Amino acid sequence: MSSIEKMLAYNRQWSEQIRQENPGYLETIAADQQPEILWIGCSDSRVGPDQLIGLPMGSIFVHRNVANIFATNDLNCLAVLEYAVDELKVPNIVVCGHYGCGGIKAALEHSGVQPVDLWLDQVRFVRNRYSAELDQLPIAERANRLAERNVESQVYNICRNTIIREAWKRGQEVNVIGVIYDIHDGLLKQLGLEFRSQQDWERHDRRTHPRPSHTTPHMLRVE
Ligand SMILES: [Zn+2]
């Protein structure tokens, strides 16, 4: 049986089973979606959120790409964030990276002009920002530390975005957190990042990016 045949056979069996065990369930969730989480993760086949966090259908609004990037110049990322926050009122945003990420390794090892190389330039910005820390590490540890720093940076990109700032300003509940996943033990680790309000975020931003009073205002700062 080919992979596609297996997929379709499994689906028929699943559909029959769920309708027998829980009649009306699929009709109920067909009417509306009220997800609890916007999940921004890597496309890697081993880190899908459904198995990792075990929430029922309809709980997770998902965006995945190579190296779990929230790119502020990417219409796809922005559209997902806007729809999740402004329309679905999703109360939690989770950026999930993972150790052993091929995209992170590629960003460390080479650059080029292929689409994936250009996409990974966003991880190279992160690498350059933390080069003093990363260069001190043994090569084997460098990619995993960059994976952590990349999650942090994508959380920061989200918190700086107007969509989130406006939501916080109008009092909407939006918690932004960063986690990383280790395929070796299947465990998610929170990276000490959790922002529930503009005040939360600004306190952290001032602490981690102190600015001399005479230099560029926040909105014009380039990092
Ligand atoms: Zn990955």
Side-chain angles (χ1 to χ4, degrees), residues 120-157:
L120 290 172
D121 274 347
Q122 293 159 106
V123 180
R124 293 189 190 93
F125 294 146
V126 180
R127 179 199 63 189
N128 293 343
R129 188 181 304 158
Y130 295 103
S131 59
E133 176 195 5
L134 295 168
D135 290 349
Q136 287 178 0
L137 295 173
I139 288 177
E141 290 173 28
R142 213 171 282 169
N144 284 344
R145 183 61 182 142
L146 178 57
E148 293 174 347
R149 288 298 196 186
N150 182 54
V151 169
E152 284 178 19
S153 298
Q154 307 315 320
V155 167
Y156 299 163
N157 285 346

Side-chain angles (χ1 to χ4, degrees), residues 42 44 98 101-102:
C42 183
D44 190 293
H98 66 111
C101 179

Side-chain angles (χ1 to χ4, degrees), residues 27-214:
E27 286 79 3
T28 306
I29 62 170
D32 193 16
Q33 62 166 332
Q34 292 182 313
E36 298 164 40
I37 292 175
L38 164 60
W39 179 275
I40 297 174
C42 183
S43 298
D44 190 293
S45 60
R46 297 160 296 181
V47 288
D50 295 332
Q51 292 94 340
L52 292 185
I53 57 177
L55 291 176
M57 287 171 75
S59 304
I60 317 171
F61 195 68
V62 178
H63 177 75
R64 293 171 70 182
N65 59 47
V66 174
N68 44 273
I69 291 165
F70 181 83
T72 50
N73 59 355
D74 179 60
L75 200 53
N76 190 354
C77 288
L78 293 170
V80 165
L81 185 69
E82 182 187 25
Y83 190 72
V85 172
D86 290 353
E87 298 298 323
L88 298 175
K89 313 286 186 212
V90 175
N92 301 289
I93 299 176
V94 176
V95 178
C96 178
H98 66 111
Y99 296 120
C101 179
I104 298 285
K105 283 185 195 155
L108 274 175
E109 285 165 6
H110 58 85
S111 59
V113 293
Q114 298 301 316
V116 72
D117 296 316
L118 298 175
W119 177 250
L120 290 172
D121 274 347
Q122 293 159 106
V123 180
R124 293 189 190 93
F125 294 146
V126 180
R127 179 199 63 189
N128 293 343
R129 188 181 304 158
Y130 295 103
S131 59
E133 176 195 5
L134 295 168
D135 290 349
Q136 287 178 0
L137 295 173
I139 288 177
E141 290 173 28
R142 213 171 282 169
N144 284 344
R145 183 61 182 142
L146 178 57
E148 293 174 347
R149 288 298 196 186
N150 182 54
V151 169
E152 284 178 19
S153 298
Q154 307 315 320
V155 167
Y156 299 163
N157 285 346
I158 291 169
C159 292
R160 288 192 183 109
N161 193 278
T162 317
I163 295 163
I164 296 297
R165 296 164 77 98
E166 287 297 317
W168 278 335
K169 203 180 347 177
R170 62 179 177 259
Q172 187 176 329
E173 182 192 359
V174 190
N175 307 322
V176 187
I177 72 165
V179 298
I180 195 156
Y181 172 69
D182 191 338
I183 190 73
H184 294 97
D185 58 16
L187 289 174
L188 286 171
K189 177 172 86 175
Q190 192 169 352
L191 287 174
L193 297 166
E194 183 161 0
F195 303 108
R196 293 170 172 268
S197 65
Q198 184 69 26
Q199 289 77 7
D200 256 9
W201 161 245
E202 282 176 1
R203 232 185 343 262
H204 175 88
D205 193 32
R206 270 197 300 274
R207 205 169 56 238
T208 51
H209 301 95
R211 296 178 282 283
S213 55
H214 63 279

